[in-house]
Amino acid sequence: MSEFKHAMIDIETLGNQSRSAISQISVVEFDLETGDTGREFDINVDIKDCVHQGLEMNVDTVMWWMKQSKEARAKFEETERYSLDRSLELLSNYISNSGIQNVWGNSARFDLGILSDAYNTVGREIPWDFRNELDVRTLVFFKPEVKDNCTFIGTPHDAIDDCKHQIRYCSLIWKLMNNG
Ligand SMILES: [Mg+2]
């Protein structure tokens, strides 16, 4: 079991409403005080299977994806993808084999909410307590300039890179708030 108590979760979706189809799920364990990171979880989800299970795609989101970078769109061409049920089983295993106490989303309502919808859709138990959800946007509200000045490393909208970026500025904000 790892020592990290926080997990940054980012999902990529084909919609921006509740019950949206999911294309990628990424998680990175981290230490909020130091910004150190631990184990990573990163999988592509079978979008067609999401829709078969009753999750939804949204035209505006699909149009938005078409305007994103070649690197971000390339994720959709990756052929190794898991069914929604298997994806969530793997995510549950990852979380239960960790020391994770708090899960973060940007916002919590979006990433963690859509994931919760997906868990409900396949009839699996959500592997965290809703009381332990924390929100990236709330932290950014206190020090927006830190996020604005944080250089992105990697590909925006590749969920694993988004997780690491969010961890970098959240831990910087945390440090600033705790050192006056
Ligand atoms: Mg993202």
Side-chain angles (χ1 to χ4, degrees):
M1 191 175 285
S2 67
E3 76 272 32
F4 293 94
K5 294 187 170 50
H6 294 269
M8 185 64 72
I9 301 183
D10 190 51
I11 60 172
E12 299 305 327
T13 62
L14 277 301
N16 56 10
Q17 310 275 318
S18 54
R19 299 182 50 77
S20 286
I22 299 169
S23 58
Q24 186 185 6
I25 304 172
S26 300
V27 191
V28 179
E29 298 175 331
F30 69 105
D31 183 320
L32 183 60
E33 287 169 29
T34 63
D36 291 344
T37 58
R39 293 180 317 147
E40 299 177 7
F41 176 91
D42 181 26
I43 58 166
N44 291 313
V45 186
D46 183 337
I47 300 160
K48 211 181 254 186
D49 183 57
C50 288
V51 173
H52 277 301
Q53 301 286 338
L55 300 183
E56 289 162 17
M57 286 175 60
N58 168 284
V59 173
D60 288 340
T61 308
V62 174
M63 299 300 278
W64 177 87
W65 272 113
M66 290 169 77
K67 291 185 213 129
Q68 302 311 309
S69 71
K70 187 162 82 276
E71 292 77 12
R73 285 183 284 117
K75 291 296 294 177
F76 291 101
E77 286 164 28
E78 292 182 6
T79 50
E80 192 187 359
R81 315 193 83 89
Y82 294 95
S83 71
L84 182 64
D85 187 54
R86 179 66 179 146
S87 300
L88 298 177
E89 181 181 32
L90 291 168
L91 177 60
S92 293
N93 292 345
Y94 168 88
I95 291 176
S96 64
N97 291 323
S98 73
I100 293 167
Q101 291 173 2
N102 286 103
V103 289
W104 292 73
N106 184 31
S107 63
R109 183 170 178 265
F110 184 87
D111 296 88
L112 306 178
I114 290 174
L115 270 177
S116 298
D117 291 340
Y119 273 102
N120 290 333
T121 297
V122 300
R124 282 188 182 276
E125 195 180 334
I126 298 165
W128 63 82
D129 189 316
F130 71 89
R131 295 173 193 84
N132 294 331
E133 295 180 351
L134 294 176
D135 191 292
V136 169
R137 289 183 196 275
T138 304
L139 202 51
V140 171
F141 175 80
F142 295 110
K143 300 270 180 196
E145 67 280 7
V146 175
K147 180 190 171 191
D148 293 344
N149 294 323
C150 186
T151 307
F152 200 99
I153 300 169
T155 303
H157 310 304
D158 181 341
I160 192 79
D161 291 343
D162 286 349
C163 281
K164 292 174 188 172
H165 184 58
Q166 289 164 201
I167 288 168
R168 276 191 291 276
Y169 64 71
C170 280
S171 89
L172 282 171
I173 292 170
W174 183 259
K175 279 179 208 165
L176 272 175
M177 290 177 71
N178 286 282
N179 295 323

